[in-house]
Amino acid sequence: MDRIFSGIQPTGTPHLGNYLGAIQNWVNLQEECSSVLYSIMDMHSFTMPKEPAVLRQNILDTTAAILACGIDPNKCLLFRQSLVPEHAELAWILGCLTNVPRLLRLPQWKMKRASQNSEGTVGLLTYPVLQAADILLYKSTRVPVGEDQVLHLELAQDIAQHFNKKYGEFFPVPKAILSTTKRIKSLRDPSAKMSKSDPQKLATVTIADSPDEIVLKFRKAVTDFTSEVTYEPAARPGVSNLVSIHAAVTGLSIKDVLHQATGLDTAHYKMVVAEAVIQKFAPIRNEIKKLQEDKSHLIKVLEDGAEKAKELAAPIYQEIRRLVGFQ
């Protein structure tokens, strides 16, 4: 059957890029498919360990945010990854079928190891195998991914095919659902993608930022010395990033956005984009605040979702155990 799986790391309140590149698409997909699973990937976030209290709060804040954005537990399974132990168990089996040079070639391993200024951990190297297990554990057929995760999905596809060749046809080979939204860039460095880990506070807009914070961040957004608003990602990445954001939050095409911006200089256009973002996130921000006041509800949503996820995973994993000889 058609089944969609995706996940988000609990880094706290998602930023503008998370919303436009992933969460907004999730909301649409839960209406289109009868079997959809979304996971709070707390095990993946442990590749860069945080204080336990911080991790617990981040899990709740991320859950509140995606519920406020429109994810409905009645239309999908929303659960916390670590509450379903079969994810880690399947990752071990799949890891034993995956060669190390393949993992060493993945660009995320090189980038994240460099950002941590270390030799890197086993978890950091092998988390793409855990991603494959996340997907394959439910025999998922489609996976929403951004540009930076395409290679990891290709690894999952190869692992599925390798398993099928060795043990017989079992896993469907999952296909990518690519986001149509342009990747949202940092407001301070348009050559880099927007990120919660960016040390520059003004670089990243979160969906819970106040109107004043949003205005300040867009006012300080890096553009160039040409005042006209145009869309030229290679030549004018800063202004083009603003145009992409404006189009994405309003649902307009790039062409329509540029038409609206005719006669505006970039300084005034920044405020137009800021206002569009404020309008988009105002109801979401209010709903996040309400949900954060009821921690027990957030915990119950994740636990209920995990129970349902286990019901799906258990028979599939038992068959995997039989196929590989564990039982």
Side-chain angles (χ1 to χ4, degrees):
M1 66 178 295
D2 187 27
R3 177 168 290 154
I4 292 171
F5 180 93
S6 195
I8 186 170
Q9 288 200 31
T11 56
T13 304
H15 60 68
L16 181 62
N18 297 142
Y19 175 80
L20 297 174
I23 299 171
Q24 188 170 239
N25 194 30
W26 285 14
V27 175
N28 296 331
L29 289 171
Q30 72 182 357
E31 305 291 342
E32 299 170 10
C33 182
S34 61
S35 184
V36 181
L37 295 93
Y38 296 136
S39 183
I40 306 295
M41 302 297 216
D42 51 349
M43 293 170 68
H44 285 294
S45 71
F46 208 67
T47 56
M48 300 179 74
K50 293 178 174 58
E51 289 298 319
V54 172
L55 178 56
R56 290 187 197 102
Q57 189 59 50
N58 281 353
I59 289 167
L60 295 177
D61 287 345
T62 302
T63 304
I66 62 176
L67 289 173
C69 289
I71 294 301
D72 184 349
N74 295 314
K75 297 178 179 178
C76 65
L77 296 190
L78 176 62
F79 68 100
R80 185 153 59 91
Q81 180 190 27
S82 65
L83 292 178
V84 184
E86 288 89 345
H87 284 254
E89 293 179 32
L90 180 56
W92 175 257
I93 293 173
L94 301 183
C96 293
L97 301 175
T98 306
N99 65 58
V100 172
R102 176 71 184 274
L103 299 178
L104 290 171
R105 288 197 299 270
L106 292 171
Q108 295 244 349
W109 157 252
K110 298 171 184 174
M111 290 189 319
K112 291 199 173 187
R113 187 178 61 165
S115 70
Q116 292 182 13
N117 294 317
S118 70
E119 291 299 310
T121 63
V122 173
L124 192 60
L125 177 65
T126 62
Y127 90 88
V129 179
L130 177 57
Q131 282 183 318
D134 298 330
I135 296 163
L136 299 178
L137 179 60
Y138 302 98
K139 288 191 166 181
S140 308
T141 56
R142 294 190 290 155
V143 184
V145 290
E147 295 171 11
D148 56 341
Q149 291 295 323
V150 168
L151 290 177
H152 288 189
L153 182 60
E154 288 177 359
L155 176 69
Q157 293 168 337
D158 290 348
I159 289 174
Q161 290 169 330
H162 181 57
F163 187 96
N164 291 347
K165 187 175 181 181
K166 188 173 180 67
Y167 297 107
E169 287 297 321
F170 184 74
F171 291 123
V173 177
K175 294 181 170 60
I177 303 174
L178 291 171
S179 172
T180 55
T181 302
K182 304 293 183 186
R183 189 188 294 190
I184 303 303
K185 307 291 189 177
S186 160
L187 294 183
R188 298 298 297 160
D189 176 9
S191 68
K193 73 173 185 176
M194 188 173 284
S195 170
K196 283 288 290 289
S197 60
D198 196 313
Q200 297 192 69
K201 300 283 188 190
L202 298 177
T204 303
V205 176
T206 80
I207 63 175
D209 279 350
S210 71
D212 286 347
E213 288 172 319
I214 292 171
V215 166
L216 175 63
K217 289 175 180 180
F218 277 99
R219 181 180 292 131
K220 298 288 187 180
V222 170
T223 51
D224 53 38
F225 297 109
T226 304
S227 63
E228 186 184 2
V229 177
T230 63
Y231 185 72
E232 303 169 72
R236 305 187 67 201
V239 174
S240 299
N241 189 41
L242 296 179
V243 173
S244 292
I245 292 169
H246 192 190
V249 298
T250 59
L252 297 171
S253 67
I254 298 289
K255 183 179 178 181
D256 288 341
V257 162
L258 290 174
H259 180 71
Q260 286 188 4
T262 303
L264 291 178
D265 61 27
T266 51
H268 286 94
Y269 183 63
K270 287 178 183 180
M271 294 304 96
V272 170
V273 180
E275 184 57 32
V277 171
I278 290 167
Q279 292 297 321
K280 181 72 173 180
F281 290 144
I284 293 173
R285 183 167 165 262
N286 293 335
E287 186 64 18
I288 288 173
K289 286 182 178 177
K290 283 200 296 186
L291 287 164
Q292 286 176 329
E293 291 171 2
D294 191 352
K295 288 187 177 182
S296 60
H297 170 67
L298 298 174
I299 291 168
K300 187 174 189 307
V301 166
L302 294 177
E303 289 179 344
D304 289 351
E307 287 305 312
K308 293 173 183 175
K310 285 178 186 177
E311 290 174 11
L312 286 179
I316 295 171
Y317 186 62
Q318 286 307 308
E319 181 63 12
I320 293 168
R321 286 176 55 86
R322 187 193 68 77
L323 286 171
V324 302
F326 286 170
Q327 65 182 44

